[in-house]
């Protein structure tokens, strides 16, 4: 399979979405929850953009929260669970991410009305 689950060092991941796009108090709260749970419940989806470097495709909030967790406790927050998109199955995986993540957002929105 070309969607591989892995633990990756937070410091090896980058995001095009700046941290300032998210509320500091929410990132702080999520960081403490990540540390308490010893992981992110919603894995970050990344592209490999180098031998040991990755870029966020989906999950920028989770990435920034994990990065904050690493700042709070470098030992416990060093690694984060990710799904790595490999080029061979990129189109199918991206279609799945868009469909499944968007339908969950829509479901939450409809449930609040």
């Amino acid at each position: 399979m070309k969607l591989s689950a892995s633990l990756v060092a937070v410091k090896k991941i980058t995001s095009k979405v700046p941290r300032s796009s998210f509320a500091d108090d929410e990132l702080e709260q999520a960081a403490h929850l990540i540390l308490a749970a010893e992981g992110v419940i919603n894995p970050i989806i990344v592209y490999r953009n180098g031998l040991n470097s990755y870029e966020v495709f989906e999950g920028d909030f989770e990435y920034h929260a994990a990065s904050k967790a690493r700042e709070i406790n470098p030992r416990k927050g060093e690694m984060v669970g990710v799904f790595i998109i490999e080029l061979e199955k990129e189109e199918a995986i991206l279609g799945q991410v868009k469909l499944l993540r968007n339908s969950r957002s829509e479901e939450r929105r409809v449930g609040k009305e």
Side-chain angles (χ1 to χ4, degrees):
M1 180 171 200
K2 299 301 175 192
L3 177 67
S4 47
S6 186
L7 283 176
V8 171
V10 173
K11 67 182 179 183
K12 303 226 182 240
I13 303 171
T14 60
S15 172
K16 289 184 179 179
V17 177
R19 186 183 228 174
S20 60
S21 299
F22 305 102
D24 286 335
D25 59 328
E26 289 180 4
L27 286 173
E28 180 87 18
Q29 181 181 8
H32 285 287
L33 291 170
I34 289 168
L35 290 169
E38 298 182 6
V40 178
I41 194 167
N42 192 15
I44 302 161
I45 301 170
V46 298
Y47 286 107
R48 187 182 309 269
N49 64 359
L51 184 58
N52 284 315
S53 61
Y54 306 87
E55 186 174 314
V56 176
F57 170 74
E58 180 72 28
D60 294 287
F61 177 81
E62 291 87 345
Y63 161 71
H64 287 296
S67 181
K68 180 71 174 170
R70 182 175 176 263
E71 291 171 13
I72 294 168
N73 186 332
R75 189 179 58 78
K76 278 183 87 175
E78 180 180 5
M79 306 294 279
V80 66
V82 301
F83 285 120
I84 303 170
I85 298 173
E86 303 293 350
L87 294 178
E88 293 84 7
K89 297 287 183 178
E90 180 179 0
E91 187 176 326
I93 293 167
L94 297 181
Q96 188 179 142
V97 167
K98 288 176 185 175
L99 178 65
L100 296 176
R101 294 261 170 123
N102 288 338
S103 68
R104 281 197 329 221
S105 295
E106 183 64 30
E107 184 178 291
R108 280 189 233 124
R109 206 178 4 224
V110 169
K112 290 181 179 181
E113 294 175 354

